[in-house]
Amino acid sequence: MALLRRRRVRLRPGPDRRQRQVITPEGVPLPFTIGARGARAAALIIDYVLIVAAMAGLTYLVASLANAVHIKADERNPVGQALVVIWIVIMFLFRHIWFLYFELGPRGATPGKRIVGLRVAARDGGRLTTEAVVARNFLRDIELTLPMIFISTTLAVGEDASFAGWAGTAWFLIFVLFPFCNRDALRAGDVVAGTWVVEAGRDRLKAALSTGAGAQGHSTLTQTRYEFGEAELSVYGEYELQVLERVLRDDNAEAMADVAQAICTKIGWTNGRGDERAFLEAYYTQLRARLERGMRFGQRKADKHS
Amino acid sequence: MIARWFGKNASQDAAVEAAALRSDRFRQAREGDWQRLETIVTRIEGGRLRKLSDEDLLALPALYRTAISSLAIARETSLDAALIAYLEGLARRAWFAVYGPREGLGAWLKRFFLGGWSAAVRGLGVDLLIALAMMVLGTVVGWLLVSGNPDWYYSLMGSDDVRVPGASREALLHTLFGQQDQTGLSMFAAFLFSNNAQVSLFAFALGFAFGLPSILLLIHNTAGLGALLWLYHGQGLTLELVGWLAIHGTTELFAILLAGGAGIHIGRAMAFPGDAPVLVAAAAAGRRAAQVMVGVVLMLICAAVLEGFGRQLVDSTTVRLAIGGTMLALWLAYFFAWRPARGQAAA
């Protein structure tokens, strides 16, 4: 697979600033939303809290189990000592096991990320390799755990704490502020591994607005039939159609009344009252039919000004 | 798929015909496939892979491509924004399922220990030799500095109770043998969380500054070793010291060598990236070095076990040297002599 290009589509500011387009190996651009930096920080904090809780809980369980079976870890008991050694090793590696197990799983997200709605993906649109996940997790140790250990040991030892403490703090700050220095909110681990963290959303398939009694032009309320001619449908473009769709899906009576009023003013009809929903559905369907017909012939009208 | 087209029932056909817009007819014709894909993807995300039937699992890539092609068509022919948003979300989730990691943690660990790690170490190549040269250089530098002026000992090793220049032979001998008062467990735990693990990780991490800090770190740490060697040599206890260090020292020094080599590997890739851009070369070198470092952390755990328990149990210099030598031979054989068949390591 050749190296895939990434196009960035800049739309309105806000969450659209975090939109990226990735071209899948099939050649179709898929939009992704980069996870917000605050959300990622929250996910990390939640994960660490869960890890500490799990470690404490498991240690308590194993300790009470050992007590129940009367295994003691003193010098006379090599079995007990061996078990304690194994347990210490597991706890030492626990946070790595946690992150690796969940990020290599089917959801590509640790419980912290799942709660916040994020997951890990490969930046170039291809396969997420195991080596990439391992590399990004290992570098998190360098970024966070190492300076923490460094700072805490120098604080505990107490001698020459000023220089060492400042060095550790500088190290920590460089890596914590790294995601703020690039547009895709990449950690140093993400840069090395070729991954990024994106939002994992879920959409339901909503019913089509253009199938239904109102859409055929018949109003169930007033028994009238709304039909619009070419002149009335040619004023608006795709942008207005999508605004109209949003209004119809939100189903807010006041908004619908306002929009119906605006359309009537524009096309020169007298506005009625009470039947806005059917009117708007009919206008939506016929406008969409017209614009889609134009699309098939390659003529697209982006909005009412074009 | 063909059978489902011909097997559609009459009500579905009527609904498809009744839809006035072509894009709605297109949507109603394909909705069944999209719902099926959604069910499969939801089951995969929920981790309930066993509940998926074989047909569903085999159909996943085809259904994913159907959804992707539906998305491409919908973008060109339909102005239903909710439909396009739904298809984008569905295609995204199916893309995650189809292009996710191919193996879980267990399979990766198996591949790692059965050849992946040693392949990564061999991939470091010249950088290991550079790191070895730096470590030897550091030891020599430490020895020469301290033999010229014993005050250097305090800068390199800090001040200890017993192990200082001018200590008697009996005092030094006592530090090497007969330390039975400390329990093995506490020494193990202390080692695990101590200096040497951090030194290794630092040597790797500082590779991103073109490898120079890694080199300096290697020299600085082995200078301490050289100073210690000079101190015991002065009292004729060199062999006993080497034995005392050898049990865990061969593993630990090998681990530091690998960590330094990994850092130098990244540094050299950044300084001489060849045809690739600097960051791309650094990222590729970083991925290989991270594989090596995962193994280094495990090696240090090994060294901790050897130090905590081996040193306490074994009191004779010959046996200590034998254990150290065996560990070194095992590591060398594992990394350089054992090359499993291509298929196993490259899976």
Side-chain angles (χ1 to χ4, degrees):
Chain A
M1 222 69 67
L3 207 69
L4 300 161
R5 280 169 290 115
R6 166 169 58 90
R7 267 184 303 132
R8 205 182 307 134
V9 176
R10 261 237 175 84
L11 303 170
R12 299 170 279 275
D16 293 327
R17 214 178 17 191
R18 288 187 272 120
Q19 290 263 37
R20 303 283 181 270
Q21 296 253 25
V22 171
I23 304 185
T24 67
E26 290 77 27
V28 175
L30 269 187
F32 284 92
T33 315
I34 305 282
R37 295 174 178 103
R40 294 188 61 180
L44 187 69
I45 293 173
I46 294 177
D47 270 323
Y48 270 115
V49 166
L50 286 174
I51 286 175
V52 168
M55 281 168 71
L58 284 172
T59 308
Y60 178 71
L61 235 108
V62 169
S64 37
L65 210 69
N67 261 341
V69 192
H70 296 297
I71 299 178
K72 296 255 181 280
D74 53 24
E75 296 184 33
R76 289 172 295 273
N77 193 341
V79 172
Q81 284 211 314
L83 285 178
V84 174
V85 164
I86 294 176
W87 191 248
I88 291 179
V89 170
I90 293 179
M91 287 296 109
F92 185 67
L93 296 176
F94 190 77
R95 64 180 183 285
H96 291 287
I97 299 174
W98 174 278
F99 282 106
L100 280 179
Y101 174 72
F102 285 114
E103 281 182 6
L104 289 173
R107 282 179 93 159
T110 56
K113 286 200 175 75
R114 246 181 258 179
I115 290 174
V116 175
L118 299 172
R119 68 179 290 167
V120 179
R123 237 186 298 149
D124 60 359
R127 182 169 295 280
L128 182 66
T129 57
T130 328
E131 276 78 20
V133 176
V134 166
R136 81 184 292 271
N137 280 299
F138 188 79
L139 268 115
R140 190 188 294 113
D141 238 19
I142 308 282
E143 295 170 32
L144 292 182
T145 324
L146 212 52
M148 299 283 223
I149 296 178
F150 192 53
I151 295 174
S152 55
T153 45
T154 49
L155 285 178
V157 165
E159 48 172 79
D160 205 2
S162 49
F163 174 70
W166 283 116
T169 313
W171 178 282
F172 182 74
L173 281 176
I174 289 176
F175 282 110
V176 163
L177 296 178
F178 197 89
F180 293 91
C181 302
N182 61 72
R183 289 201 188 106
D184 295 334
L186 302 173
R187 274 195 302 120
D190 283 321
V191 171
V192 170
T195 59
W196 56 14
V197 177
V198 294
E199 286 181 8
R202 201 189 271 212
D203 274 322
R204 300 211 143 276
L205 183 58
K206 302 185 185 104
L209 289 170
S210 46
T211 57
Q216 309 305 327
H218 296 286
S219 162
T220 47
L221 214 59
T222 60
Q223 310 304 324
T224 49
R225 192 181 155 78
Y226 295 107
E227 284 186 15
F228 303 95
E230 275 299 302
E232 283 131 0
L233 294 176
S234 58
V235 281
Y236 288 125
E238 291 173 12
Y239 176 69
E240 285 79 30
L241 180 73
Q242 299 196 333
V243 171
L244 183 52
E245 177 182 349
R246 260 203 301 275
V247 167
L248 279 170
R249 290 205 190 276
D250 287 342
D251 212 10
N252 181 348
E254 285 168 12
M256 288 201 292
D258 286 337
V259 171
Q261 167 76 46
I263 295 180
C264 284
T265 319
K266 189 94 178 180
I267 63 178
W269 281 29
T270 327
N271 187 27
R273 201 101 55 87
D275 205 21
E276 285 92 3
R277 174 122 204 149
F279 172 78
L280 289 178
E281 276 185 17
Y283 193 78
Y284 169 80
T285 310
Q286 292 173 40
L287 178 62
R288 194 171 130 196
R290 183 174 188 281
L291 289 174
E292 281 180 2
R293 202 180 326 128
M295 255 169 103
R296 283 199 288 279
F297 286 102
Q299 296 150 8
R300 298 188 74 152
K301 189 177 162 72
D303 56 25
K304 62 186 178 218
H305 301 300
S306 54
Chain B
M1 191 83 109
I2 310 277
R4 292 178 61 226
W5 274 94
F6 287 113
K8 267 200 196 159
N9 54 27
S11 68
Q12 271 183 320
D13 285 331
V16 170
E17 284 305 314
L21 295 177
R22 269 199 211 180
S23 49
D24 287 330
R25 292 205 289 275
F26 156 80
R27 166 186 168 145
Q28 276 164 345
R30 312 247 177 140
E31 221 170 295
D33 281 336
W34 302 339
Q35 301 286 10
R36 188 174 171 212
L37 179 61
E38 172 144 16
T39 329
I40 295 176
V41 167
T42 312
R43 284 225 184 101
I44 291 181
E45 283 175 357
R48 297 189 289 280
L49 267 170
R50 307 268 155 100
K51 293 254 180 77
L52 277 180
S53 63
D54 284 343
E55 301 96 51
D56 277 347
L57 210 50
L58 287 172
L60 173 64
L63 286 172
Y64 160 68
R65 294 208 168 88
T66 310
I68 281 265
S69 86
S70 302
L71 173 62
I73 297 175
R75 278 183 177 146
E76 292 303 311
T77 62
S78 170
L79 287 170
D80 190 346
L83 173 69
I84 294 179
Y86 168 75
L87 279 177
E88 282 174 351
L90 183 64
R92 214 178 6 242
R93 288 166 63 202
W95 177 80
F96 281 130
V98 171
Y99 288 100
R102 268 219 172 114
E103 53 189 0
L105 184 57
W108 174 77
L109 278 174
K110 186 168 163 222
R111 191 163 60 87
F112 182 75
F113 286 118
L114 289 181
W117 182 18
S118 39
V121 167
R122 284 195 299 274
L124 291 182
V126 174
D127 305 299
L128 283 181
L129 294 173
I130 298 177
L132 183 63
M134 291 299 119
M135 286 173 83
V136 168
L137 180 68
T139 317
V140 166
V141 162
W143 179 295
L144 289 176
L145 276 177
V146 180
S147 65
N149 180 2
D151 286 335
W152 269 106
Y153 185 88
Y154 298 99
S155 345
L156 288 176
M157 289 289 288
S159 50
D160 201 70
D161 291 334
V162 183
R163 295 190 301 192
V164 289
S168 66
R169 191 171 194 272
E170 291 73 32
L172 288 181
L173 204 57
H174 181 70
T175 62
L176 298 181
F177 300 100
Q179 289 272 345
Q180 310 294 346
D181 44 349
Q182 271 190 305
T183 62
L185 208 53
S186 59
M187 284 169 66
F188 165 74
F191 182 87
L192 200 57
F193 297 101
S194 81
N195 230 7
N196 289 296
Q198 292 169 38
V199 162
S200 289
L201 290 179
F202 266 122
F204 162 73
L206 297 172
F208 284 98
F210 297 102
L212 295 170
S214 304
I215 294 178
L216 291 174
L217 203 61
L218 283 175
I219 294 180
H220 180 255
N221 277 284
T222 41
L225 181 66
L228 204 60
L229 277 173
W230 173 85
L231 180 67
Y232 280 76
H233 180 75
Q235 300 288 348
L237 289 173
T238 330
L239 197 62
E240 280 78 11
L241 176 70
V242 171
W244 184 75
L245 288 173
I247 294 185
H248 74 286
T250 47
T251 312
E252 181 188 331
L253 286 171
F254 207 120
I256 294 179
L257 173 73
L258 288 181
I264 294 173
H265 184 67
I266 297 176
R268 251 182 4 116
M270 286 178 75
F272 306 106
D275 285 334
V278 170
L279 283 183
V280 170
R287 279 193 291 275
R288 181 180 296 123
Q291 298 267 307
V292 172
M293 285 308 293
V294 168
V296 163
V297 170
L298 298 173
M299 262 176 108
L300 287 171
I301 292 178
C302 228
V305 170
L306 285 170
E307 168 165 18
F309 298 100
R311 233 202 272 181
Q312 193 196 10
L313 297 172
V314 177
D315 234 3
S316 133
T317 304
T318 338
V319 178
R320 285 175 174 178
L321 284 171
I323 295 180
T326 318
M327 289 305 302
L328 183 63
L330 280 175
W331 287 120
L332 285 173
Y334 178 66
F335 289 128
F336 300 108
W338 181 49
R339 286 159 207 244
R342 248 328 170 80
Q344 232 180 338

